[in-house]
């Protein structure tokens, strides 16, 4: 039960790279290794009854080694923007795909050059598209499972005892903070720092869950790690037509990323016109 609770906590926290999550992805990698090895060995046994299973196991372990690291990364990228719009989800898919293929190609070029007289580029050029089909299958599996296993909505965040308050979980207690007092929020590891006028409050949740909880309160996302209440922005610093940083009424300065600059300008312009 303790392990199951830990897994649920890891899922609710957005799959940080912690021991329970890494144990699951490592077990998945081992299962794939044994399945592929056994299938290849059984196929070889039809031609040669003396085929050595160990040799096939070592060969497949060599080929699948990058996925021991890529499984948790691709899975996490798949789960990262599952509550977001199509553009952000597509961005995660592209980032996961590029990361995976670059890592696999670089590994193949180097690993399969060892013990030969070929350079890594010569080795890479000797491969064909079919040699990487299983890598495509593993990528799709890890990414799509990540999307299906996205962090569930936090019931303590979604349900509050009074209108206009947010249930903030921290250090074994739940505090109810009026939404009107929240100036902004910043992701800090497994927590979100809620910026209030006189202090910061740590909330154990994910940015995606917080965006969902505050979606009806007018908050706007300005960065992957930052969320602000437009009415609490005192200064918006710009370069040309693009906002680069906002300063909250408590003096905190938060960066604005390229992805969200248009939305931030539109929301702040609406505030002025309103």
């Amino acid at each position: 039960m303790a392990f199951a609770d830990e897994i649920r906590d890891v899922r609710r926290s957005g799959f940080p790279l912690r021991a329970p999550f890494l144990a699951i992805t490592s077990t998945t990698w081992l299962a794939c290794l044994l399945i592929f090895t056994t299938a290849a060995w059984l196929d070889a046994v039809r031609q040669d009854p003396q085929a050595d299973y160990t040799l096939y196991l070592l060969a497949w372990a060599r080929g699948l080694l990058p996925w021991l690291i890529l499984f948790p990364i691709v899975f996490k990228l798949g789960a990262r923007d599952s509550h977001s719009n199509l553009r952000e989800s597509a961005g995660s898919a592209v980032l996961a795909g590029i990361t995976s293929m670059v890592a696999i190609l670089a590994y193949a070029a180097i690993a399969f050059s060892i013990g030969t007289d070929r350079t890594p580029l010569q080795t890479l050029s000797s491969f064909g598209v079919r040699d990487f089909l299983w890598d495509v299958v593993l990528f799709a599996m890890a990414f799509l499972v990540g999307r299906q296993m996205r962090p569930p909505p936090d019931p303590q965040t979604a349900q509050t005892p009074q209108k206009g308050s947010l249930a903030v979980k921290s250090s074994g207690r739940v505090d109810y903070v009026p939404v009107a007092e929240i100036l902004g929020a910043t992701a800090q590891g497994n927590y979100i720092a809620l910026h209030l006028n006189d202090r910061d409050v740590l909330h154990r949740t994910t940015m995606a869950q917080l965006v969902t909880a505050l979606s009806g309160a007018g908050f706007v996302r300005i960065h992957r790690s930052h969320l602000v209440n437009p009415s609490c922005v005192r200064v918006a610093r710009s370069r040309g037509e693009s906002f680069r940083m906002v300063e909250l009424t408590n003096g905190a300065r938060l960066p604005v990323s390229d992805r969200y600059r248009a939305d931030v300008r539109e929301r702040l312009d609406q505030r002025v016109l309103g």
Side-chain angles (χ1 to χ4, degrees):
M1 286 300 294
F3 183 76
D5 291 340
E6 182 72 9
I7 293 299
R8 281 193 292 269
D9 184 57
V10 165
R11 183 183 179 196
R12 190 175 295 116
S13 301
F15 301 102
L17 300 180
R18 283 162 42 188
F21 175 50
L22 295 178
I24 291 174
T25 56
S26 298
T27 302
T28 302
W29 178 84
L30 181 59
C32 290
L33 172 62
L34 294 177
I35 291 171
F36 292 157
T37 299
T38 303
W41 177 74
L42 289 175
D43 188 55
V45 165
R46 296 192 184 101
Q47 305 297 326
D48 179 12
Q50 302 301 320
D52 189 346
Y53 185 86
T54 302
L55 294 179
Y56 283 87
L57 180 64
L58 293 175
W60 274 100
R62 182 186 183 190
L64 293 178
L65 187 59
W67 284 102
L68 188 59
I69 299 173
L70 288 173
F71 264 141
I73 295 174
V74 174
F75 186 101
K76 186 170 176 60
L77 286 171
R80 183 176 65 172
D81 286 322
S82 297
H83 293 294
S84 304
N85 57 38
L86 180 61
R87 183 179 66 178
E88 292 182 338
S89 298
S92 285
V94 170
L95 177 60
I98 292 175
T99 300
S100 300
M101 294 315 300
V102 168
I104 290 166
L105 292 175
Y107 170 82
I110 296 172
F112 290 93
S113 296
I114 298 174
T116 71
D117 57 356
R118 297 178 300 183
T119 66
L121 287 179
Q122 289 173 333
T123 299
L124 191 60
S125 64
S126 68
F127 290 115
V129 174
R130 292 181 60 183
D131 295 312
F132 297 99
L133 288 180
W134 279 118
D135 294 298
V136 175
V137 172
L138 291 174
F139 164 76
M141 179 184 73
F143 189 84
L144 292 176
V145 170
R147 284 193 60 79
Q148 293 301 315
M149 291 293 291
R150 59 191 180 273
D154 187 340
Q156 287 186 317
T157 299
Q159 299 177 2
T160 53
Q162 60 185 41
K163 184 177 180 180
S165 64
L166 181 70
V168 176
K169 299 184 298 179
S170 179
S171 302
R173 56 183 288 176
V174 178
D175 296 315
Y176 296 96
V177 177
V179 172
E181 294 183 6
I182 301 175
L183 312 182
T186 297
Q188 293 184 0
N190 297 333
Y191 290 85
I192 300 292
L194 302 177
H195 304 305
L196 308 182
N197 276 317
D198 56 348
R199 69 189 191 282
D200 287 351
V201 177
L202 290 180
H203 180 23
R204 189 173 181 81
T205 187
T206 66
M207 183 59 74
Q209 291 170 351
L210 186 63
V211 169
T212 300
L214 299 178
S215 59
F219 283 72
V220 60
R221 198 163 184 176
I222 63 171
H223 188 279
R224 180 167 299 281
S225 301
H226 302 289
L227 181 75
V228 300
N229 183 345
S231 64
C232 297
V233 173
R234 181 169 61 189
V235 177
R237 303 182 186 278
S238 62
R239 182 182 303 166
E241 295 297 320
S242 298
F243 288 134
R244 300 287 178 175
M245 179 181 295
V246 296
E247 182 177 328
L248 303 180
T249 52
N250 67 346
R253 295 183 178 182
L254 304 177
V256 180
S257 67
D258 291 334
R259 176 183 295 183
Y260 300 102
R261 279 177 187 144
D263 293 339
V264 173
R265 174 171 284 278
E266 180 181 356
R267 294 294 295 276
L268 291 180
D269 287 346
Q270 290 175 353
R271 168 192 163 185
V272 172
L273 292 175

